[in-house]
Amino acid sequence: MVRSIALVFGTRPEAIKLAPLYLELARRPGEFKPLIWATAQHRQMLDQVMEIFGLKADRDFNLMKPSQTLTDVTVAVLKAMEKAFAEERPDCVIVQGDTTTAFAAALAAYYQRIPVGHVEAGLRTGDKFAPYPEEMNRRLVTPIADLHFAPTEQARRNLLAEEIPSKDVFVTGNTVIDALQIVVDMVRRDPPPRPKGFPEETFGDERRLVLITGHRRENFGAGFESICKAIAELAERYPQHEFVYPVHLNPNVQEPVHRLLGGRKNIHLIKPQDYKPFVWAMDQCYFLLSDSGGVQEEAPHLGKPVLVMRETTERPEAVEAGTARLVGTDAEKIVSEAVRLMDDRDAYESMRRAHNPFGDGKACHRIAEKLAERI
């Protein structure tokens, strides 16, 4: 029996993490008919990833609207999925992670009594407002889902502690490593053009690149002010090194970043990057300053330490393994930990060589095997 599997996603991180699963399912036509249902919660960033992996949506709901609120997105996804499920009942719906698309699509599938598989299940911070709204989106998908694909043993334990039956929880590794392996091979074989505003020179021990990302809602305001002050201090302390920041388009990020960091010779504020040039930049950098969840998973695979500019993380495995360190948004702590990586080679090497706890690039194969058994 060929099972129809609808992979529903709308943002760049979801697309990155579900693209290799689609490719894995498509390699097994006697077992699966994978369908891509794109909500386009984030239109432009989603399209970039689809092009990289050669994917085309079977249904494109194109739900992105200017100035949409979380309520707008939730309602739009629910209504779109209700109509789609009425027209075409897939055997299973796959959602990924912690987006509003994931939560609303899972809820819509539940209303139609369609089984739900949750990829990257079981991540928790314990604080429903950090990250916001991702923590609650992820928690709300859990009681709806029928199959829970946990990336790590810790995520599995989190689910069992919430009384999810062990027979429904599977440790698979994180599919982002599957995706990253594909794209790293691409950019090493054929490097993309350097982004506009990116330093032209090569990097090494005498001239290092620090890559920065920051966009979390919970850091808006004082948090971003503090982060920018730390970056400015580091750039002054290390004028021989380059600090590259692809700046998120949200005005709450743009305003403090450009006000506090603009016009500095070795700070390069560039536009948000497609996935391929961003992976290339990660491969070039010395370490990362980031509040991103995905970076905490991807950078260790490339041997790049991450200083996580958040107070909590739903990926404690990275901290426990030593590949990442929580530094929050306190400028003094960010600076001191960055200086340690810059100046203490042993400290740097201990993070660079730490084991990546997020998988071996075979997560999608494991998920496909479980879908074949259970759907």
Side-chain angles (χ1 to χ4, degrees):
M1 179 183 72
V2 178
R3 309 152 184 86
S4 61
I5 310 291
L7 292 83
V8 183
F9 53 82
T11 67
R12 181 168 101 165
E14 290 170 293
I16 290 167
K17 294 179 177 184
L18 288 183
L21 180 57
Y22 174 88
L23 296 175
E24 176 67 28
L25 297 177
R27 282 193 286 267
R28 303 164 71 152
E31 297 176 272
F32 300 110
K33 178 187 176 183
L35 306 167
I36 293 176
W37 290 8
T39 68
Q41 181 180 332
H42 294 160
R43 175 83 269 168
Q44 184 179 0
M45 292 186 287
L46 175 67
D47 291 346
Q48 295 163 3
V49 175
M50 298 277 281
E51 183 178 352
I52 290 169
F53 290 97
L55 305 182
K56 184 178 180 181
D58 297 280
R59 289 176 179 258
D60 190 332
F61 300 96
N62 198 29
L63 300 181
M64 185 173 181
K65 299 290 187 295
S67 304
Q68 61 190 356
T69 67
L70 294 173
T71 301
D72 293 333
V73 177
T74 304
V75 171
V77 174
L78 276 171
K79 292 296 292 181
M81 291 302 119
E82 179 182 47
K83 184 174 185 294
F85 290 145
E87 294 172 354
E88 182 177 0
R89 291 186 62 86
D91 295 302
C92 181
V93 171
I94 297 291
V95 299
Q96 193 283 327
D98 55 16
T99 67
T100 302
T101 284
F103 162 58
L107 183 60
Y110 164 74
Y111 286 160
Q112 300 293 325
R113 298 178 181 268
I114 297 172
V116 173
H118 188 195
V119 173
E120 199 185 74
L123 278 62
R124 300 289 187 269
T125 66
D127 181 346
K128 68 181 182 180
F129 291 110
Y132 169 83
E134 290 84 1
E135 173 76 2
M136 282 309 299
N137 284 340
R138 196 185 297 270
R139 285 200 225 174
L140 291 167
V141 172
T142 293
I144 293 172
D146 301 275
L147 303 174
H148 307 260
F149 301 113
T152 65
E153 182 58 35
Q154 178 61 57
R156 176 181 178 274
R157 289 196 295 268
N158 292 341
L159 293 166
L160 298 183
E162 295 172 11
E163 299 186 350
I164 301 301
S166 60
K167 67 180 180 61
D168 298 330
V169 181
F170 313 100
V171 178
T172 61
N174 198 303
T175 61
V176 76
I177 305 303
D178 302 42
L180 185 62
Q181 287 182 342
I182 295 170
V183 178
V184 167
D185 287 345
M186 289 181 186
V187 301
R188 288 179 178 172
R189 286 196 313 268
D190 184 18
R194 288 187 182 231
K196 185 178 180 180
F198 202 94
E200 288 297 326
E201 297 85 350
T202 57
F203 299 100
D205 205 49
E206 298 301 317
R207 189 167 183 276
R208 297 167 178 166
L209 166 66
V210 177
L211 186 60
I212 304 158
T213 72
H215 66 278
R216 288 287 178 186
R217 286 182 179 88
E218 61 266 28
N219 287 343
F220 290 172
F224 263 102
E225 297 264 343
S226 184
I227 286 170
C228 290
K229 289 174 183 175
I231 295 167
E233 182 175 339
L234 289 167
E236 289 178 10
R237 186 185 289 246
Y238 298 101
Q240 74 276 32
H241 300 317
E242 306 292 340
F243 296 78
V244 175
Y245 190 165
V247 185
H248 197 281
L249 297 179
N250 190 304
N252 292 294
V253 179
Q254 289 271 328
E255 192 282 325
V257 168
H258 283 278
R259 172 167 49 84
L260 295 171
L261 300 179
R264 297 172 184 266
K265 184 177 179 181
N266 63 332
I267 297 179
H268 307 271
L269 306 178
I270 64 176
K271 70 177 184 179
Q273 295 301 297
D274 295 358
Y275 189 53
K276 279 176 71 174
F278 185 74
V279 168
W280 175 83
M282 278 200 296
D283 206 27
Q284 300 294 311
C285 80
Y286 193 65
F287 69 88
L288 293 99
L289 291 167
S290 179
D291 64 7
S292 166
V295 164
Q296 295 173 58
E297 300 159 344
E298 294 164 325
H301 185 70
L302 299 173
K304 309 296 181 178
V306 184
L307 299 182
V308 183
M309 299 183 296
R310 292 165 58 177
E311 303 302 328
T312 61
T313 178
E314 67 276 34
R315 295 166 173 85
E317 298 91 343
V319 177
E320 292 164 6
T323 62
R325 181 166 283 109
L326 276 177
V327 295
T329 58
D330 179 74
E332 184 177 343
K333 187 169 184 180
I334 294 170
V335 169
S336 66
E337 292 293 342
V339 167
R340 191 176 66 89
L341 288 178
M342 283 290 202
D343 296 351
D344 185 338
R345 192 72 188 199
D346 290 340
Y348 177 82
E349 289 295 329
S350 71
M351 289 187 74
R352 186 180 73 83
R353 294 175 177 171
H355 169 69
N356 182 4
F358 295 110
D360 56 5
K362 299 177 182 177
C364 293
H365 173 76
R366 296 184 184 103
I367 292 170
E369 289 294 305
K370 292 302 175 185
L371 288 172
E373 290 176 14
R374 296 288 298 270
I375 300 302

